[in-house]
Amino acid sequence: MDCKFKTDLGLVTINDEVIVRVAGYAALDCYGIVGMASKRSTDGIVQLMGRENLGRGVKVRQNGDKVDVDLYIIVEYGISISAVAASIIETVKYKVEHLTGIMVSRVNVCVEDIRV
């Protein structure tokens, strides 16, 4: 579903895929993250997704005139998970709001795995 908002010049429509890519790239730029995660529905095994498959590790839901972003990540072993999650939340919220103009109501970070 596309996100729409009005400006002084008219109506702006942004595809969900754009928000997914912005959020995914913003998360991958944060320190301590190895990559995005995707669970296979058949056996529940977590797979490491590269930059070409960001959509599987990011979910976007429209919440009125704002969006909720869910990120499924794999973190690096030995890094503080709470510090990585706080950094990701802050970075993703800022970049999505700054680059798309859509307000983010919440960013949920789900740590699916830890890799060495």
Side-chain angles (χ1 to χ4, degrees):
M1 188 164 140
D2 296 339
C3 296
K4 299 178 182 181
F5 61 95
K6 288 190 175 194
T7 65
D8 295 338
L9 300 175
L11 182 69
V12 177
T13 304
I14 298 178
N15 193 320
D16 282 346
E17 186 64 29
V18 173
I19 301 169
V20 165
R21 287 188 181 267
V22 169
Y25 285 127
L28 286 176
D29 285 342
C30 293
Y31 178 76
I33 186 170
V34 175
M36 305 307 287
S38 173
K39 279 189 179 178
R40 293 195 315 208
S41 60
T42 55
D43 53 10
I45 294 176
V46 174
Q47 292 180 327
L48 178 65
M49 296 282 108
R51 289 188 181 268
E52 66 277 353
N53 291 325
L54 286 177
R56 293 189 180 174
V58 180
K59 303 289 186 243
V60 174
R61 294 182 316 274
Q62 194 165 3
N63 186 6
D65 58 342
K66 298 182 179 183
V67 293
D68 295 338
V69 180
D70 298 332
L71 299 166
Y72 301 91
I73 63 167
I74 299 173
V75 297
E76 185 178 336
Y77 178 77
I79 303 293
S80 170
I81 294 174
S82 62
V84 169
S87 172
I88 290 171
I89 290 169
E90 205 172 298
T91 303
V92 168
K93 183 174 176 14
Y94 172 76
K95 288 203 176 178
V96 168
E97 289 178 352
H98 180 72
L99 296 175
T100 65
I102 297 173
M103 300 304 292
V104 177
S105 60
R106 86 184 320 170
V107 177
N108 301 313
V109 177
C110 301
V111 179
E112 296 291 329
D113 199 5
I114 296 174
R115 295 277 167 99
V116 178

